[in-house]
Amino acid sequence: MSYGKTFEAWRKATGTVWPAYVDHAFVRGLGDGSLPRQAFLHYLRQDYVFLIHFARAWALAVTKSDTVEEMRLAAGTVNALINNEIALHVEICAGAGIGEMELFATEERPENLAYTRYVLDAGHSGDLLDLLAALAPCVMGYGEIGANLAISKTSDAFSDWIDTYSAEPYQQVCRDVGTLIDSVAHRRLGSDPNGSPRWRGLCRRFTTATRLEVGFWDMCLK
Amino acid sequence: MSYGKTFEAWRKATGTVWPAYVDHAFVRGLGDGSLPRQAFLHYLRQDYVFLIHFARAWALAVTKSDTVEEMRLAAGTVNALINNEIALHVEICAGAGIGEMELFATEERPENLAYTRYVLDAGHSGDLLDLLAALAPCVMGYGEIGANLAISKTSDAFSDWIDTYSAEPYQQVCRDVGTLIDSVAHRRLGSDPNGSPRWRGLCRRFTTATRLEVGFWDMCLK
Amino acid sequence: MSYGKTFEAWRKATGTVWPAYVDHAFVRGLGDGSLPRQAFLHYLRQDYVFLIHFARAWALAVTKSDTVEEMRLAAGTVNALINNEIALHVEICAGAGIGEMELFATEERPENLAYTRYVLDAGHSGDLLDLLAALAPCVMGYGEIGANLAISKTSDAFSDWIDTYSAEPYQQVCRDVGTLIDSVAHRRLGSDPNGSPRWRGLCRRFTTATRLEVGFWDMCLK
Amino acid sequence: MSYGKTFEAWRKATGTVWPAYVDHAFVRGLGDGSLPRQAFLHYLRQDYVFLIHFARAWALAVTKSDTVEEMRLAAGTVNALINNEIALHVEICAGAGIGEMELFATEERPENLAYTRYVLDAGHSGDLLDLLAALAPCVMGYGEIGANLAISKTSDAFSDWIDTYSAEPYQQVCRDVGTLIDSVAHRRLGSDPNGSPRWRGLCRRFTTATRLEVGFWDMCLK
């Protein structure tokens, strides 16, 4: 499982923040089945609203692309988010008696709102690379969590969720986004991205977004 | 052929500008086959660049949507533009020995640039409805031109082009966008859109965008 | 003290949220001098970063203005924020041995970040009125708090702060912004704003921003 | 007269486009007094609308700044444009019997619209440096034209205009913007901006904006 050179470097630069995200108590609860069903439904509702705004941020990436290939990949991701990933949430929630209109009306928690609006602002205030640094932790983190849990899980209570993110289609999304990030980094920073004066700022963005992911899990357990 | 109530009202409000667009000499040249092949290739190259930026403007619409349905439709349009409509241009140009990299490198003419950047700014400065008023003339005008030429054409020289825009899939796009506009107008202006203080401004936007379409055809004949 | 018709209606629509903001324990601590100095400095540091992003949101309002008067007022507010209001923070912090570079390097807390990025996104996703509904609670709330505390305070411990917001120049800013909001509401919604289909959404925006203000005070007391 | 290292490099990279702008027939007509008064008033009206949108683009720069100094300079420029530079136009036009409301209602020509919307999109699609590359030709070109004409002019017919742009305050604006560009280039590209993979794209932006300036002068003479 490798999602690209730039992502690896950004992940490493977070220090203890990345592990705090991918090994969060919420994640362990998905793997051993100890997560209360109510917490999972609470998560799904907030995550539904999250995905709406996350899809908006990927659409912003389309408007900030410099090449047709970048546009195609970003536009494909918007579609995957709105039409596939959200479908999982709608389906599971429907099974629990929560309709899509009720999902959409979920009151967005501040921890949720903080994250997506931060990502959107990363795009508006900077360029495509600034935006991608804020988008990456969610995309790739879920890929890593899914792949980890597929191996380590001791319960099938949340296997629908685990299957979605560990399965090939989602892993392919992670690799594609990793390739996109490497290529944009190369195109805007050159052959030695770490040597660019922007490097520290990009690592900071990625770390802040990862920290907001931790805050999101925390909120789901409250 | 009806693309919705709001569109009809906006079209009517342009006075002589709309007819100047849909009955332009360039359009008549497509119908009777008198358009020089060089002018058509010149148009395809500029239109390729146009579609890139027009797709960016539809992606902006995704970021400005208030409901999931709006997002889905806007995201679908981005995809259709990048993956289908552009394909027609790539294919015809390939047949004339012009590759996609050459297409992408086309120097954008000021008349072309003026149009798409105006549409993008309509979105950034206003709300979704302001953006849709600037997007509509291109989407629906091509639908109307395609449908007209399918009936009135006296030559098959440009039947590929005419077929694309007169065929059911594109006509359905026009009807869907018309429905979207009616619904956003209702949601933001209420049951009497013409009575809203924004109405005149929206008609002006639509008319300006239509005028820029006329300028685009003019440029293609230069 | 009246900051305009639209503001009054929005404030009333928040129900108990507005009082939770303007009568917050943090505010009472400013009035009776019981707020620990450390909490006040913590607030000033976070608020410095807040004002940076809040000024960015007012600059966004300049880009979304439809008339020269709106632009002038919004541009004037950007200047007042960057050059005057921030100066108060810089000065008090300097007195406590905290330089501006250190202020600027303050790590932004999630509750802080949530608020300003929400306001910026209100502008990017909507029109000027959507943005103003998210900007209003901070501008006017501080005016109301300042005016209240000037009368009710039982201590002079924080009189610099209270004077800044109760004094005529800041009160004039509140009245000017109130007039701006009334005029934009009239220009975009007509003579019966409450009857507009957008009214509920605007009240919701204002309430969400007010709720984020409450979260900001809470964070300052942690 | 030097407006910074980066500006000098960008100017040189335009080849013949920069001279076509600063030595345009319109400019020569200002210097020798041969420009018809009607053409000058036509210019002032279009330029009034231009400045409105150009000020919006500078406000966008405030929203895209990374440091307080950048914000202060950009915010100061917005103010100078809205409150000083526009005042010259209002005053001269008032002398010719054209009121500000009439000025504001000027129908924007496509060549005018193309320019400002291109600049705004440079900001929205890229980062602050992309935006500055599109803003620079107008700011610095007027400074260079003003300074040149102050020396070479053979008529006093347009000395108000020439004085405005050759005088110290405007020259200082050019130097400040030049310093800003150098500092942003250093902060985002490093110590060898020309060696950055973005360099060619930035030169292209600057050249396109300069070309749109030439189109603006052409339009004024039509």
Side-chain angles (χ1 to χ4, degrees):
Chain A
M1 179 186 67
S2 165
Y3 307 146
K5 237 174 70 176
T6 311
F7 164 70
E8 291 304 329
W10 286 347
R11 184 175 61 163
K12 207 175 157 187
T14 67
T16 58
V17 182
W18 188 263
Y21 158 38
V22 296
D23 299 330
H24 195 276
F26 188 93
V27 173
R28 289 198 303 269
L30 288 169
D32 63 17
S34 67
L35 185 74
R37 196 76 195 164
Q38 274 315 101
F40 186 60
L41 288 176
H42 172 43
Y43 153 74
L44 284 178
R45 295 173 70 136
Q46 289 295 324
D47 202 48
Y48 176 88
V49 179
F50 176 88
L51 289 175
I52 299 284
H53 294 287
F54 203 65
R56 292 175 57 224
W58 271 103
L60 185 62
V62 177
T63 74
K64 299 181 78 75
S65 294
D66 284 330
T67 72
V68 190
E69 286 70 33
E70 288 169 18
M71 288 183 76
R72 282 191 179 127
L73 202 145
T77 309
V78 175
N79 256 7
L81 285 165
I82 301 183
N83 294 311
N84 306 349
E85 201 173 342
I86 282 184
L88 170 78
H89 294 59
V90 173
E91 197 185 326
I92 303 183
C93 287
I98 306 167
E100 185 162 10
M101 272 179 64
E102 195 186 334
L103 268 183
F104 189 76
T106 301
E107 195 186 311
E108 201 179 7
R109 296 287 307 269
E111 294 88 346
N112 188 352
L113 176 158
Y115 191 178
T116 53
R117 301 320 192 281
Y118 176 77
V119 176
L120 282 158
D121 183 47
H124 282 297
S125 62
D127 64 7
L128 181 60
L129 191 56
D130 292 304
L131 176 53
L132 289 170
L135 283 164
C138 175
V139 177
M140 269 84 155
Y142 271 55
E144 191 171 318
I145 290 169
N148 289 347
L149 291 183
I151 294 166
S152 67
K153 72 175 162 150
T154 56
S155 154
D156 283 333
F158 300 101
S159 54
D160 277 3
W161 191 93
I162 295 170
D163 290 352
T164 300
Y165 296 105
S166 62
E168 208 18 50
Y170 191 81
Q171 292 296 321
Q172 188 58 46
V173 165
C174 294
R175 285 190 297 264
D176 288 347
V177 171
T179 304
L180 172 68
I181 292 175
D182 281 346
S183 115
V184 175
H186 189 266
R187 211 162 37 64
R188 293 188 78 89
L189 305 182
S191 52
D192 177 28
N194 315 38
S196 154
R198 290 180 60 185
W199 188 253
R200 275 185 60 194
L202 289 163
C203 290
R204 211 158 33 220
R205 276 234 176 267
F206 182 94
T207 300
T208 300
T210 306
R211 198 169 276 133
L212 293 166
E213 276 284 3
V214 177
F216 193 94
W217 286 146
D218 287 347
M219 174 266 288
C220 291
L221 289 182
K222 266 185 210 164
Chain B
M1 179 187 67
S2 165
Y3 305 146
K5 238 174 70 176
T6 312
F7 165 70
E8 291 303 328
W10 285 347
R11 183 173 65 162
K12 206 173 159 189
T14 68
T16 58
V17 183
W18 188 263
Y21 159 37
V22 296
D23 299 330
H24 195 276
F26 189 94
V27 174
R28 289 198 303 268
L30 288 169
D32 64 18
S34 66
L35 186 73
R37 197 71 195 169
Q38 274 316 101
F40 185 60
L41 288 176
H42 173 42
Y43 152 75
L44 284 178
R45 297 173 68 134
Q46 289 296 322
D47 201 47
Y48 176 88
V49 180
F50 177 89
L51 289 174
I52 299 284
H53 295 287
F54 203 64
R56 293 175 57 224
W58 271 103
L60 185 61
V62 176
T63 75
K64 298 181 76 78
S65 292
D66 285 330
T67 71
V68 191
E69 286 71 33
E70 287 169 18
M71 286 182 79
R72 283 191 179 126
L73 203 145
T77 308
V78 175
N79 257 5
L81 284 165
I82 300 182
N83 295 311
N84 307 348
E85 200 173 343
I86 281 183
L88 170 79
H89 293 61
V90 173
E91 197 185 328
I92 302 182
C93 287
I98 306 168
E100 184 162 11
M101 272 179 63
E102 195 186 336
L103 267 182
F104 189 76
T106 301
E107 195 185 313
E108 201 179 6
R109 296 289 307 270
E111 295 87 346
N112 188 350
L113 178 157
Y115 191 178
T116 52
R117 300 322 191 280
Y118 176 78
V119 175
L120 282 158
D121 183 49
H124 283 296
S125 62
D127 64 7
L128 181 60
L129 191 56
D130 291 304
L131 176 53
L132 289 170
L135 284 164
C138 176
V139 178
M140 269 85 154
Y142 271 55
E144 190 171 320
I145 289 169
N148 289 347
L149 290 183
I151 295 165
S152 68
K153 72 173 160 148
T154 57
S155 154
D156 283 332
F158 301 100
S159 53
D160 277 3
W161 191 94
I162 295 170
D163 289 353
T164 300
Y165 296 105
S166 61
E168 207 20 47
Y170 192 82
Q171 292 296 320
Q172 188 58 44
V173 166
C174 294
R175 284 189 299 264
D176 288 347
V177 171
T179 304
L180 172 67
I181 292 175
D182 281 346
S183 114
V184 176
H186 188 266
R187 210 162 38 66
R188 290 189 80 87
L189 306 182
S191 52
D192 177 30
N194 315 36
S196 153
R198 289 180 62 184
W199 188 252
R200 274 185 61 195
L202 289 163
C203 290
R204 211 159 33 221
R205 276 236 175 265
F206 182 94
T207 300
T208 299
T210 306
R211 198 170 276 133
L212 292 166
E213 276 284 3
V214 177
F216 192 94
W217 288 143
D218 288 347
M219 174 266 288
C220 291
L221 289 184
K222 265 185 211 164
Chain C
M1 181 187 66
S2 165
Y3 305 146
K5 239 174 69 175
T6 311
F7 164 72
E8 291 304 328
W10 287 346
R11 182 172 65 161
K12 207 174 158 187
T14 67
T16 58
V17 182
W18 187 263
Y21 159 39
V22 296
D23 297 332
H24 194 276
F26 188 93
V27 173
R28 288 197 304 269
L30 287 170
D32 63 18
S34 66
L35 186 73
R37 197 72 195 169
Q38 274 315 102
F40 186 60
L41 288 176
H42 172 43
Y43 153 75
L44 283 178
R45 294 172 71 134
Q46 289 294 324
D47 202 46
Y48 176 88
V49 179
F50 176 89
L51 289 174
I52 298 285
H53 295 287
F54 203 65
R56 292 176 57 223
W58 271 103
L60 185 61
V62 176
T63 75
K64 299 182 77 77
S65 294
D66 285 329
T67 72
V68 191
E69 286 70 33
E70 287 169 18
M71 287 183 78
R72 283 190 179 128
L73 203 145
T77 308
V78 175
N79 257 5
L81 284 165
I82 301 182
N83 295 310
N84 306 349
E85 201 172 344
I86 281 183
L88 170 78
H89 294 59
V90 173
E91 197 185 328
I92 302 182
C93 287
I98 306 167
E100 184 161 11
M101 272 178 63
E102 196 187 332
L103 268 182
F104 190 76
T106 301
E107 195 186 312
E108 199 179 9
R109 295 289 308 269
E111 296 88 346
N112 188 352
L113 178 157
Y115 191 177
T116 53
R117 300 323 190 280
Y118 176 78
V119 175
L120 282 158
D121 183 47
H124 283 297
S125 62
D127 65 6
L128 181 60
L129 192 55
D130 292 304
L131 176 53
L132 289 170
L135 284 164
C138 176
V139 177
M140 270 83 153
Y142 271 55
E144 191 170 319
I145 290 169
N148 289 347
L149 291 183
I151 294 165
S152 68
K153 72 173 160 149
T154 57
S155 153
D156 283 332
F158 300 101
S159 53
D160 277 4
W161 192 93
I162 295 170
D163 289 353
T164 300
Y165 296 105
S166 62
E168 206 21 47
Y170 191 81
Q171 293 295 319
Q172 187 59 45
V173 165
C174 294
R175 285 190 299 264
D176 288 348
V177 170
T179 304
L180 172 67
I181 292 174
D182 282 346
S183 115
V184 175
H186 189 267
R187 209 161 40 63
R188 292 190 79 89
L189 306 181
S191 52
D192 177 30
N194 315 36
S196 154
R198 288 181 61 186
W199 187 252
R200 276 186 60 195
L202 289 163
C203 290
R204 209 157 35 218
R205 276 234 176 267
F206 183 93
T207 300
T208 299
T210 306
R211 198 169 276 134
L212 293 166
E213 277 284 2
V214 177
F216 191 94
W217 287 143
D218 287 348
M219 173 266 289
C220 291
L221 288 183
K222 267 185 209 162
Chain D
M1 179 186 70
S2 166
Y3 306 147
K5 239 174 69 177
T6 312
F7 164 71
E8 291 304 329
W10 286 346
R11 183 175 63 164
K12 208 173 156 189
T14 67
T16 58
V17 182
W18 187 263
Y21 158 38
V22 296
D23 298 331
H24 194 275
F26 189 93
V27 174
R28 289 199 301 270
L30 288 169
D32 63 17
S34 66
L35 186 74
R37 198 72 196 169
Q38 274 316 101
F40 186 61
L41 288 176
H42 172 43
Y43 153 75
L44 284 178
R45 296 174 69 135
Q46 289 295 323
D47 201 47
Y48 176 88
V49 179
F50 176 89
L51 289 174
I52 298 284
H53 295 286
F54 203 66
R56 293 176 56 224
W58 271 102
L60 184 62
V62 177
T63 74
K64 298 182 78 76
S65 294
D66 285 330
T67 72
V68 191
E69 287 70 34
E70 287 170 18
M71 287 183 78
R72 282 192 179 125
L73 203 145
T77 308
V78 175
N79 256 7
L81 284 165
I82 301 183
N83 295 310
N84 305 349
E85 201 172 344
I86 281 183
L88 170 80
H89 294 61
V90 172
E91 197 186 326
I92 303 183
C93 287
I98 306 167
E100 186 163 7
M101 273 179 62
E102 194 185 334
L103 268 182
F104 190 76
T106 301
E107 195 186 311
E108 200 178 8
R109 294 289 306 269
E111 294 88 346
N112 188 353
L113 178 157
Y115 191 177
T116 52
R117 299 323 190 280
Y118 175 78
V119 176
L120 283 158
D121 183 49
H124 282 296
S125 61
D127 65 5
L128 180 60
L129 191 55
D130 291 304
L131 176 53
L132 289 170
L135 283 164
C138 175
V139 177
M140 270 81 155
Y142 271 55
E144 190 170 320
I145 290 169
N148 288 347
L149 292 184
I151 294 166
S152 68
K153 74 177 159 146
T154 57
S155 154
D156 284 333
F158 300 101
S159 53
D160 277 4
W161 190 95
I162 294 169
D163 290 352
T164 299
Y165 296 105
S166 61
E168 209 17 51
Y170 191 82
Q171 292 296 320
Q172 188 59 45
V173 165
C174 294
R175 284 190 299 265
D176 288 347
V177 170
T179 304
L180 172 67
I181 292 174
D182 282 346
S183 114
V184 176
H186 189 266
R187 211 162 37 64
R188 291 189 79 88
L189 306 183
S191 52
D192 177 28
N194 314 39
S196 154
R198 288 180 61 186
W199 188 252
R200 274 184 62 194
L202 290 164
C203 290
R204 211 157 34 220
R205 276 234 175 268
F206 183 92
T207 300
T208 299
T210 307
R211 199 169 275 134
L212 292 166
E213 276 284 2
V214 176
F216 192 95
W217 287 144
D218 287 347
M219 173 266 288
C220 291
L221 288 183
K222 266 184 208 163

